[in-house]
Structure formats: structure tokens, C-alpha cells
Amino acid sequence: MGIYLPLELSVPIFLGGLIAHLVERRLGVHGESGEAERANARIRKLTKRELEIAQLVVAGKANKVIAADLEISGRTVEIHRARIMRKTQSDSLAALVWLFAAAGLTLTATS
């Protein structure tokens, strides 16, 4: 007997996990040293809250789910997400996932 999630919740979680697996497999667990240092430098620009949201985004959670989990508005998540993309110089979600993988950060949701 399994636990089933509504499609709108299960697909992003599955895809986030799949992307994370493929990236980690491609780069190895920690990536290359120089690449990891550059990735970490970009991630260090984030505030604590932005990092928290970025980890949830990279794990495949939808904005609405993140908003509910953190008890903030969906618009606040959108604003943080835009700042995350700008500060990390990521032009897509895939680029953000690659950045986190290169930095050796976990790509699974924490909440």
C-alpha cells in the first residue's frame, strides 16, 4: 500500500528528485574543486531565507507548496525566487539545480 500525492504535487517532486539524481551522477557527489568553489561563492550571496527557499525550489517544490510550508504568501516566494535567480546568476531552474549540485549541496527537500 503506497501513499499517493495529487498529480500537481507529485510531478514536481519526482522531477526535482530525478534532476538531482542525474546532476549528482554527472558531477559526482561534490563536483570539481574549482567549479565547487565558484558555485559556493554564488550561493553565499543568498540570505538565510533565500537559501532556505532555494533548497526547496531545487528539490522540486512548487511555489504554493513552499508558501504553505513556510507560512508566507505565494507572492513573497516569487519575489525571493527572483532574487535567488539574480544573485546566483541562474537563468533557469535547471541552471540553479546545476549550481547547487556543483556546490555539493543536498538537492532534497528538508521540509
Side-chain angles (χ1 to χ4, degrees), residues 10-44:
S10 61
V11 170
I13 292 169
F14 169 75
L15 290 177
L18 178 62
I19 291 169
H21 170 75
L22 294 173
V23 169
E24 287 173 346
R25 191 166 171 207
R26 168 77 171 90
L27 293 176
V29 175
H30 299 291
E32 297 175 10
S33 178
E35 186 176 352
E37 289 175 23
R38 288 188 299 275
N40 275 307
R42 288 164 57 187
I43 291 171
R44 279 193 300 269

Side-chain angles (χ1 to χ4, degrees), residues 28-110:
V29 175
H30 299 291
E32 297 175 10
S33 178
E35 186 176 352
E37 289 175 23
R38 288 188 299 275
N40 275 307
R42 288 164 57 187
I43 291 171
R44 279 193 300 269
K45 296 177 184 177
L46 302 177
T47 65
K48 182 179 177 184
R49 185 60 145 192
E50 289 167 346
L51 181 59
E52 179 180 23
I53 291 172
Q55 289 173 322
L56 295 171
V57 168
V58 167
K61 287 200 172 192
N63 287 356
K64 286 183 179 182
V65 175
I66 295 170
D69 287 353
L70 300 179
E71 298 178 352
I72 58 178
S73 76
R75 180 68 181 136
T76 301
V77 174
E78 291 172 8
I79 291 168
H80 280 302
R81 194 167 168 164
R83 289 180 183 156
I84 291 163
M85 300 302 279
R86 186 181 71 245
K87 286 182 177 182
T88 61
Q89 302 168 353
S90 300
D91 57 359
S92 66
L93 176 58
L96 188 64
V97 170
W98 279 100
L99 183 70
F100 270 67
L105 296 176
T106 182
L107 299 176
T108 56
T110 56

